[in-house]
Amino acid sequence: MLQYSIEMNLQYTSTRDNKVRCSASEAILKGLCDDGGLFVPVELPVLPVPVRDICGMDYKECAYTVMKEFLTDFTEEELRGCISRAYDEKFDTPEIVPLRQAGGAFYMELFHGKTIAFKDMALSILPHLMTTAAKKNNVKNEIVILTATSGDTGKAALAGFADVKGTRIVVFYPKDGVSRVQKLQMVTEKGKNTKVIGVDGNFDDCQTGVKAIFSDKELGRRLDKKGYQFSSANSINIGRLVPQIVYYVYAYSRLLKDNVIGDGEEVNFVVPTGNFGNILAAYYAKMMGLPVRKLICASNENKVLFDFFRTGEYDRNREFILTSSPSMDILISSNLERLIYHIAGNDPEKNAALMAALRTDGRYEITSFMKKELTGFEAYYSSEKETAEKIGSLFKESGYIIDTHTAVAGAAYDKYLSDTKDKTVTLIASTASPFKFAGSVMSAIDRGYEGKEEFELADELSVIGKVKIPPAIEEIRNAEIIHKTECKIDGMMEEVERFLS
Ligand SMILES: *Cc1c(COP(=O)(O)O)cnc(C)c1O
């Protein structure tokens, strides 16, 4: 009996060392493997029921059906508890992820959570998964979440972990590198266990600083004595990836329920991509048996992934371009490592060698054998001009207003269509509310809006788009600034210790 239950428990291993074995809850607590690799399930589970059966489920039930296959060491009660505390009235619609048909595609709206970006889909549940995992593993320490953000992750993590017992959270953001709304969302955070710090540097500096704090063993020992241990809310944590698989299955089941598609019919997903977390979740959904034809990876002008899918060479040695879709301004897509590992036949040595090349030379090239494994992917990119034009044309055509990140995907899909004439029903991941980027969105609709004040534009957007201003925007309009701390790059560790003393 015992033997049986051990075998039933899905184990996680490292993309760089197959000897590593741990449970789902341990992987969530650790975030990153000691060898620098990412946790992956030893075997990918399959959907436990036909998709037809999911048509009758609400979002929470669908989440339980999918997530229980990955988080096998959580009891039913534990997992259902996490899910029901995450996907509740924090979302402004009971559907959680509504679909909106416009311009020949279905937009899968992932921005109805508290901070109006898709990061809420995973970060509303991660704190519950983490505190449950801590209990299961008899962790007595308080868990300190360290986060570096280029904008959206920071506030979503703050909102998720604010006043969660047994946790504290520190967010570092580049003090001159985030949008006005993004900064206001973070520095007005009221949670008593939160600390937000503006760093005199860019996002890479914040990220490098956080990694240095993580790997400082001496600091780790000092904090352990005081009853603290670090963890991560970054998208490399498997606890963020698994909840993201859910909405692909859920969205498919809605189309099936509404007879837009028939049983077993394939759909395409277009995903605006940065760190490769969201689209990797779609790939896992496909591997679980969801009928998917193509996964279309959409990039902005930082088109390192587009080049990779076209040529098989990943090369980060290029200019970093600041675009109107800042959450996709990234040259090292961390989660791509998981895909590389899988297409190498789950081979940690091959993957580790390529990641070492990325570290030392900033580039690597996959074999032609591995490249053949990528046929389920397509890649397109959109220039700044094409992105703005997509926002404008879709609004004219349908009255529907999308944000800049979603527009990158929309424009990429248009190019895919004109290349392939593919008639497959297609869903576009809509990753942020247009209110979060009202400046860029409104000037894409009409040049006359250029230079106007952000909140004034939010009011205008509400009028022309016929949508209510989300509470996330109203909240920050006149909110008190609580977090004023700023520091130099080499002062980050000191700030963490001060916060914890
Ligand atoms: C984070 C983010 C993305 C990119 O998602 P990845 O999982 O990093 O690929 C796209 N759009 C928005 C609005 C985001 O916040």
Side-chain angles (χ1 to χ4, degrees), residues 41-57:
V42 167
E43 216 173 320
L44 275 175
V46 293
L47 286 174
V49 297
V51 189
R52 177 56 75 182
D53 291 3
I54 295 172
C55 295
M57 298 181 187

Side-chain angles (χ1 to χ4, degrees), residues 57-245:
M57 298 181 187
D58 65 4
Y59 193 85
K60 287 182 198 172
E61 197 60 35
C62 175
Y64 177 69
T65 304
V66 173
M67 290 176 68
K68 75 174 167 55
E69 299 300 316
F70 284 89
L71 311 183
T72 53
D73 68 328
F74 285 64
T75 66
E76 172 165 0
E77 194 189 353
E78 284 168 343
L79 186 54
R80 283 193 188 276
C82 292
I83 289 168
S84 68
R85 276 172 280 160
Y87 303 110
D88 59 8
E89 295 72 38
K90 286 191 287 297
F91 286 78
D92 68 5
T93 160
E95 294 162 280
I96 308 293
V97 176
L99 301 183
R100 167 84 181 243
Q101 190 173 12
F106 289 87
Y107 287 83
M108 178 169 75
E109 294 188 347
L110 303 173
F111 56 76
H112 288 273
K114 242 181 159 174
T115 77
I116 60 177
F118 98 96
K119 304 293 195 288
D120 290 326
M121 295 309 304
L123 283 163
S124 321
I125 193 165
L126 183 68
H128 303 296
L129 296 176
M130 205 171 271
T131 48
T132 305
K135 240 181 254 148
K136 295 179 77 65
N137 291 280
N138 294 315
V139 172
K140 297 282 181 298
N141 284 340
E142 203 163 275
I143 294 171
V144 182
I145 305 293
L146 288 185
T147 311
T149 183
S150 63
D152 288 333
T153 295
K155 179 59 185 187
L158 286 165
F161 281 95
D163 298 323
V164 172
K165 257 183 75 183
T167 72
R168 295 194 186 203
I169 172 163
V170 185
V171 171
F172 291 101
Y173 70 94
K175 78 177 171 67
D176 301 315
V178 296
S179 82
R180 169 123 191 270
V181 168
Q182 287 174 326
K183 177 167 178 169
L184 278 174
Q185 279 190 313
M186 289 189 277
V187 298
T188 57
E189 172 58 51
K190 292 195 191 77
K192 295 220 171 10
N193 60 339
T194 66
K195 179 83 185 169
V196 180
I197 300 164
V199 176
D200 190 11
N202 62 26
F203 169 66
D204 281 333
D205 299 322
C206 296
Q207 177 85 7
T208 310
V210 163
K211 281 191 182 149
I213 299 172
F214 257 110
S215 55
D216 190 315
K217 297 231 158 63
E218 184 46 43
L219 176 71
R221 270 193 292 275
R222 273 207 304 281
L223 292 184
D224 186 53
K225 272 197 202 121
K226 290 188 186 165
Y228 297 112
Q229 71 188 61
F230 291 128
S231 189
S232 154
N234 280 339
S235 68
I236 48 172
N237 194 318
I238 198 84
R240 267 188 70 179
L241 211 49
V242 172
Q244 291 181 178
I245 300 169

Side-chain angles (χ1 to χ4, degrees), residues 117-119 152 272-278 327-328 403 405 431-432 437:
F118 98 96
K119 304 293 195 288
D152 288 333
T273 298
N275 223 4
F276 210 76
N278 203 2
S327 303
M328 294 160 65
D403 100 291
H405 303 74
T431 50
F437 303 93

Side-chain angles (χ1 to χ4, degrees), residues 436-495:
K436 201 154 188 179
F437 303 93
S440 306
V441 167
M442 291 302 278
S443 40
I445 287 172
D446 187 338
R447 297 290 291 273
Y449 289 119
E450 260 168 44
K452 281 206 184 158
E453 207 268 335
E454 195 79 21
F455 289 104
E456 206 179 309
L457 289 173
D459 291 332
E460 281 287 333
L461 201 165
S462 171
V463 173
I464 66 164
K466 302 187 178 68
V467 262
K468 260 182 67 193
I469 298 186
I473 297 294
E474 292 296 2
E475 266 168 25
I476 55 171
R477 213 186 264 262
N478 299 305
E480 183 197 350
I481 310 266
I482 293 167
H483 301 274
K484 295 175 184 159
T485 309
E486 290 185 352
C487 75
K488 296 259 189 265
I489 299 164
D490 58 11
M492 289 170 62
M493 196 177 295
E494 204 182 311
E495 288 299 337

